[in-house]
Amino acid sequence: MEKWICKVCGYEHQGEEAPEQCPQCGCSKSEFYQDTNQKYWKTVFVMLFVTLLISIFASFISCTTRQTVDNTPVKSFNLNRFLGKWYEIARFDHRFERDMQQCTATYTLREDGTLSVINQGKKNGKWETSEGKGKLTDTPGLLKVSFFGPFYSDYRIMHLAPDYSYALVGGEDDTYLWILSRTPKLNQATINNLLREAQQRGYDTNNLIWVEQERVPTTQP
C-alpha cells in the first residue's frame, strides 16, 4: 500500500494511487504526491529481510552438510603436566597458520589461573609469533583459547599419551585438527595410532598438512 500526501492541506491517503479528489480540501488528484521516503524504507526493509533469509538458509545448509565428528575430550587431564612446549607434527589447514613451518605452541600458567599461549612458526623465512590466552572449563581436557580479544574457541584434547609426550587436539568442529608432540619428531607407529584415532572419530586425515620441524642436533659422544 502506497502513501499519498496532498500538497495543499497535507491530507494523507493510503492506496495504490492518489484519490480523484482530496476529501479534506477538495483539490484535484494532480495536487497529490507520493511519499517516496516511505517507499525507500519499505524497499530497504524488504532487501534486509531477503538478505537475512539467505544467510539463515546458507547457515542451515552449511550445518547440515558439515561432517559430524566425535571431538569428545579426554576424561582425565592434568594441566600442570600439559604445560610447556609442544611441537606441531601435523594440522588441518587454516588461515592463521597458512604456509607456516616449524610451528610450536608454548603454554604457561599465569598468576590469575589463566594460561598464556604463545604460538610460533616460520613463514617465508621469517619467524612469526602470536600470543593468546586460555582458560580451563568444567570439562576435563576442554580448554577455551583466544587470540582475538574476547572471542574464545574450543581447544579439545581428544587423546593424550600416558606420559603427556604426544596429543591429538581438535576444535569446535571437523575443520580443526592437530597432532602435537614434545619432540620435533614422532615415530611412525605412534603417528599411525593417532591417525587411526582421528579416523575413528570421523576426521578426514587426508587433509592433514605435515609440518617441517628443525632437526635437533645430537650430542657427540
Side-chain angles (χ1 to χ4, degrees):
M1 203 59 86
E2 306 296 339
K3 183 178 180 181
W4 303 85
I5 302 175
C6 176
K7 293 186 288 185
V8 177
C9 67
Y11 173 77
E12 297 181 358
H13 172 78
Q14 299 284 346
E16 294 300 324
E17 59 181 30
E20 294 298 326
Q21 187 178 36
C22 178
Q24 185 164 288
C25 68
C27 69
S28 66
K29 181 178 181 179
S30 62
E31 297 298 330
F32 279 83
Y33 68 92
Q34 189 176 8
D35 185 357
T36 55
N37 186 56
Q38 183 196 44
K39 188 174 182 180
Y40 167 78
W41 286 111
K42 182 179 179 181
T43 302
V44 170
F45 174 78
V46 171
M47 291 177 64
L48 288 174
F49 182 72
V50 171
T51 302
L52 178 62
L53 286 178
I54 293 173
S55 299
I56 293 174
F57 181 74
S59 298
F60 175 77
I61 293 297
S62 175
C63 291
T64 54
T65 57
R66 173 163 286 174
Q67 177 187 3
T68 301
V69 294
D70 176 11
N71 58 5
T72 306
V74 294
K75 297 187 181 300
S76 177
F77 177 71
N78 186 319
L79 177 62
N80 289 326
R81 297 185 66 188
F82 188 79
L83 297 176
K85 187 174 185 177
W86 290 87
Y87 292 87
E88 195 174 272
I89 304 301
R91 68 168 183 267
F92 278 177
D93 186 33
H94 46 76
R95 180 179 54 82
F96 49 90
E97 274 189 304
R98 186 151 296 155
D99 300 324
M100 280 193 177
Q101 298 295 339
Q102 300 182 34
C103 300
T104 61
T106 304
Y107 303 86
T108 55
L109 191 62
R110 294 174 171 172
E111 292 184 358
D112 62 359
T114 61
L115 297 173
S116 170
V117 184
I118 298 178
N119 286 352
Q120 189 175 49
K122 185 176 281 189
K123 183 176 182 179
N124 299 326
K126 296 181 179 180
W127 286 102
E128 294 187 9
T129 301
S130 61
E131 184 171 358
K133 53 187 176 181
K135 57 185 180 181
L136 291 170
T137 68
D138 293 334
T139 303
L142 172 58
L143 305 179
K144 292 286 187 177
V145 178
S146 171
F147 287 91
F148 308 102
F151 305 103
Y152 283 83
S153 299
D154 281 8
Y155 186 87
R156 294 172 169 266
I157 303 159
M158 302 184 295
H159 184 82
L160 264 174
D163 60 355
Y164 283 61
S165 60
Y166 55 82
L168 182 69
V169 178
E172 297 174 350
D173 52 42
D174 65 343
T175 59
Y176 297 98
L177 186 68
W178 292 271
I179 294 177
L180 305 179
S181 172
R182 292 295 193 181
T183 58
K185 301 291 182 183
L186 270 179
N187 64 68
Q188 193 59 49
T190 300
I191 289 175
N192 291 341
N193 287 336
L194 291 171
L195 291 177
R196 278 193 293 270
E197 173 76 20
Q199 291 163 1
Q200 289 171 0
R201 288 173 173 267
Y203 289 90
D204 185 356
T205 56
N206 292 319
N207 294 329
L208 282 170
I209 295 172
W210 297 92
V211 181
E212 296 177 5
Q213 291 288 356
E214 275 188 316
R215 292 183 179 179
V216 179
T218 57
T219 303
Q220 295 297 326

